[in-house]
Amino acid sequence: EPDKDKSLRGSRDGFVETIVFNTALMRRRIRDPHLVMKMIEIGNSSRTDVAVCYMSDRASQETVDNIKARLKKAKLDMVLGSGYIAPFLDTQSTSFFSGVGTTERPDVACAEMAEGRVVLLVDGTPFALIVPYLFVENFQSMDDYNYRPYYAVFIRTLKFISFLISVFFPGIYVAVCTFHQEVLPSSMLYDMAVQESMTPFPVMVEAIFIHFLYEVMREAGLRMPKAVGHAVSIVGALVIGDAAVTAGLIAAPMLIVVAMTAISSFVVSQLYQPVSVLRFLFMIIGGITGFYGIVLGFGVLLVNICAINPY
């Protein structure tokens, strides 16, 4: 069962490390003679098998030829995973977001091929690469087809809002506490002023420190064995969080901001890597320039997203 792409009413099978099994999983779903799977060897020493899968009556032949040419130009010695060839397939190296998607679900890969996309399977990796991949597809899932239309629209809107919260909420909080206190209600302003006055650091330094600490604990929880991974959350939440607030190192509202940001970032897990970096950038921008810098940064980010033109 896929660990990353969870589905409530979808299939429970996922890709494995053996490429022959992965091609069979897709052949089982698409019994069409137009389904083409071309095998290519990449890597001078590893000689890794890569399957280029597409539907010949739906995928653009120009795109398929472009992908094959890029793979042949990849002069690599060892290919031990799909991440080795993904940079050669991407078209926008200056963007925070990639034009190459990943999935570990065969039904998602088949649905992408039905839309004219090209799916690449790398031997030894339980993930398939999807080319080209649009930014909006990060907010879609197989469950959208199983829900009623009104609920699917609600869930997708929820994902967009969660993405905005995870990127901008810490920066907006820092900007409000530093420059724009007048936007807060009086009662909330007094409470937050009391809390922040008890901490020895500026709000921007405090926000960067606590989010950096959260990233450290998250990385530790990922790398540790599952049997002891829960200890990281207990130590982080109960010991460090409560002790930091009690000692006056961190204000209580800042912990609420971190918790809300962290939960929102897991709603769209495919975008966690760019979100985690953008969050720090907007905290620095909000602490230096306030709302004006955040609005300008949002415009630059929007242009950066729209500039992605995969294939």
Side-chain angles (χ1 to χ4, degrees), residues 109 159 210 217 231 235:
K159 291 180 179 179
I210 191 64
M217 289 187 291
V235 170

Side-chain angles (χ1 to χ4, degrees), residues 250-276:
I250 298 170
M254 184 62 71
L255 284 184
I256 299 175
V257 172
V258 173
M260 192 170 179
T261 305
I263 294 172
S264 300
S265 62
F266 289 130
V267 174
V268 190
S269 58
Q270 297 91 335
L271 294 175
Y272 188 85
Q273 296 180 28
V275 163
S276 59

Side-chain angles (χ1 to χ4, degrees), residues 67-105:
I67 292 171
K68 291 179 181 178
R70 287 167 182 255
L71 292 176
K72 291 179 180 178
K73 290 180 181 178
K75 303 299 182 182
L76 298 171
D77 184 56
M78 301 287 287
V79 177
L80 304 177
S82 59
Y84 283 65
I85 65 173
F88 296 93
L89 301 171
D90 211 344
T91 55
Q92 189 77 6
S93 58
T94 58
S95 176
F96 281 99
F97 306 95
S98 175
V100 179
T102 60
T103 182
E104 54 182 336
R105 299 185 61 89

Side-chain angles (χ1 to χ4, degrees), residues 139-153:
F139 303 91
Q140 301 175 2
S141 66
M142 284 302 296
D143 279 329
D144 293 346
Y145 294 92
N146 299 320
Y147 295 145
R148 299 289 295 275
Y150 63 87
Y151 188 70
V153 172

Side-chain angles (χ1 to χ4, degrees), residues 183-305:
V183 302
L184 295 173
S186 300
S187 57
M188 183 183 296
L189 175 62
Y190 295 143
D191 293 336
M192 291 179 63
V194 170
Q195 292 284 341
E196 294 294 345
S197 64
M198 297 170 60
T199 59
F201 306 110
V203 179
M204 184 180 75
V205 176
E206 182 184 346
I208 293 175
F209 170 73
I210 191 64
H211 280 87
F212 178 77
L213 194 62
Y214 162 72
E215 293 292 340
V216 170
M217 289 187 291
R218 176 186 174 274
E219 194 67 20
L222 284 176
R223 306 305 170 193
M224 290 179 66
K226 291 184 178 180
V228 293
H230 299 291
V232 176
S233 60
I234 294 174
V235 170
L238 299 181
V239 179
I240 298 179
D242 184 63
V245 173
T246 305
L249 296 176
I250 298 170
M254 184 62 71
L255 284 184
I256 299 175
V257 172
V258 173
M260 192 170 179
T261 305
I263 294 172
S264 300
S265 62
F266 289 130
V267 174
V268 190
S269 58
Q270 297 91 335
L271 294 175
Y272 188 85
Q273 296 180 28
V275 163
S276 59
V277 176
L278 289 170
R279 188 186 306 149
F280 282 95
L281 290 178
F282 278 101
M283 279 190 286
I284 296 173
I285 292 173
I288 296 175
T289 61
F291 278 166
Y292 304 103
I294 289 179
V295 172
L296 185 61
F298 174 72
V300 173
L301 180 63
L302 199 61
V303 171
N304 185 258
I305 294 174

